[in-house]
Amino acid sequence: MKVACTGASGFLGPGLVQGLLEAGHTVHVLSRNVEHALGRLPAGVTGSFFDGSTPLSPDALAGAEGVVHLAGEPVDQRWTHEAKHRIHYSRVEGTRVLVEAMKQAGCVRHFVCASAVGFYGGARAGQTLTEEDPPGDDFLAHVCQAWEAEALRAEEAGLRTVRLRIGVVLHPAGGVLHRMLPVFRMGAGAKVGNGQQYVSWVHREDLFQLMRFALENFTLSGPVNATSPEPVTNATFAHTLGAVLERPAALSVPGLVLKARFGEMARVALEGQRVMPRRALESGFQFRFPDLTGALRDLLPS
């Protein structure tokens, strides 16, 4: 099928696009900078302008049966008032604009919209969370609820809609692992706070496969947790990463230090969520990298 993608030039986009092409789909990217996006992607991909705020012409989606929506302001920054506005606006308004164009285009049948495990909030004290659990009550939870509410407008219009609640995506080229590696390779790896908070992680390749699975499995709809079936505590994550790198990871970063540096955003690392991908597993999806040691050994070969 023809698939339109937002966020195609980010941390996840190029790999997703490559996988879609290899599966026989054609891809049309929607980007703020089309030339830059196409320069990072294989030949044959086309593109249209999309900034997430101005109306998108339905012509940009002509012939597209599927849409994958990944675009959004990065969350991993200090949450100033302005940053919070960008994080919220880029997701909520961007989804609203995209859904309106999809409804007008009349050809889209399948919509996969990114969300995040932040939907569940951070103060859950190790509670095992599935797609059936209610949302949390902090900043990211409110953002995810508003984000998903806009995606649901596509479902109300008759489009099959999957809301992927994505966890901590692991790959050395970006994200959390990219920032952790220099410190851990120096032997200064550390748990954060008391280390008992959970990290709901996913290997980037498994996430790409799950995105395709959500797009191609026409019986799947609603919320789907995009996390490994084996979440670990922060302390276990630090220990495992140190072991894979054959470096000590016995230190601890006090929560107050993290809060002083990152402000409210530090809650993401200090609280976490223990999320299980129940609906993905029940739908028949098989994780290639379900356990952390195997995932890290694949990503960081010696």
Side-chain angles (χ1 to χ4, degrees), residues 30 48-50 54-62 97 100-102 104-105:
L30 306 173
S48 296
F49 176 78
F50 172 69
T54 56
L56 176 67
S57 170
D59 293 341
L61 298 173
V97 168
E100 189 58 36
M102 288 161 50
Q104 293 177 24

Side-chain angles (χ1 to χ4, degrees), residues 129-300:
L129 300 166
T130 72
E131 293 88 352
E132 304 302 317
D133 283 287
D137 188 27
D138 54 29
F139 170 65
L140 279 187
H142 294 159
V143 169
C144 289
Q145 290 172 66
W147 191 4
E148 293 193 18
E150 293 301 326
L152 281 171
R153 292 174 58 244
E155 186 170 279
E156 293 165 359
L159 283 68
R160 182 180 66 87
T161 300
V162 178
R163 292 165 278 139
L164 280 182
R165 294 173 180 165
I166 300 172
V168 177
V169 183
L170 299 186
H171 195 277
V176 170
L177 187 58
H178 176 74
R179 293 191 296 275
M180 294 175 71
L181 280 175
V183 175
F184 273 73
R185 281 173 168 150
M186 290 190 297
K191 67 181 181 181
V192 174
N194 64 19
Q196 295 309 299
Q197 69 277 24
Y198 273 82
V199 179
S200 293
W201 60 274
V202 63
H203 189 298
R204 192 171 72 167
E205 187 57 38
D206 273 336
L207 178 57
F208 292 153
Q209 295 300 322
L210 183 52
M211 287 177 176
R212 274 186 46 208
F213 182 83
L215 186 69
E216 297 168 350
N217 184 345
F218 296 169
T219 63
L220 184 63
S221 64
V224 175
N225 292 333
T227 61
S228 157
E230 298 183 20
V232 298
T233 64
N234 179 273
T236 298
F237 190 99
H239 173 78
T240 305
L241 179 55
V244 168
L245 294 173
E246 299 182 347
R247 295 288 188 275
L251 303 177
S252 177
V253 177
L256 288 175
V257 172
L258 211 64
K259 289 177 182 177
R261 181 174 179 183
F262 295 108
E264 184 183 356
M265 197 274 282
R267 294 182 60 179
V268 175
L270 292 170
E271 295 180 351
Q273 303 92 5
R274 187 181 190 181
V275 176
M276 295 298 294
R278 175 182 291 176
R279 296 203 64 227
L281 294 173
E282 290 177 347
S283 297
F285 182 77
Q286 296 185 343
F287 287 86
R288 184 180 173 193
F289 303 100
D291 70 280
L292 183 62
T293 298
L296 290 176
R297 291 199 184 283
D298 176 75
L299 292 167
L300 306 168

Side-chain angles (χ1 to χ4, degrees), residues 29-95:
V29 300
L30 306 173
S31 175
R32 186 185 304 271
N33 188 331
V34 176
E35 183 178 358
H36 171 73
L38 294 181
R40 298 193 61 195
L41 300 172
V45 177
T46 55
S48 296
F49 176 78
F50 172 69
D51 66 0
S53 57
T54 56
L56 176 67
S57 170
D59 293 341
L61 298 173
E65 295 180 63
V67 173
V68 180
H69 182 35
L70 303 177
E73 174 77 10
V75 171
D76 53 348
Q77 56 181 300
R78 192 176 183 90
W79 290 351
T80 62
H81 176 76
E82 294 77 12
K84 280 186 166 183
H85 173 74
R86 292 193 303 269
I87 290 167
H88 185 278
Y89 183 88
S90 65
R91 287 164 173 77
V92 177
E93 185 63 21
T95 306

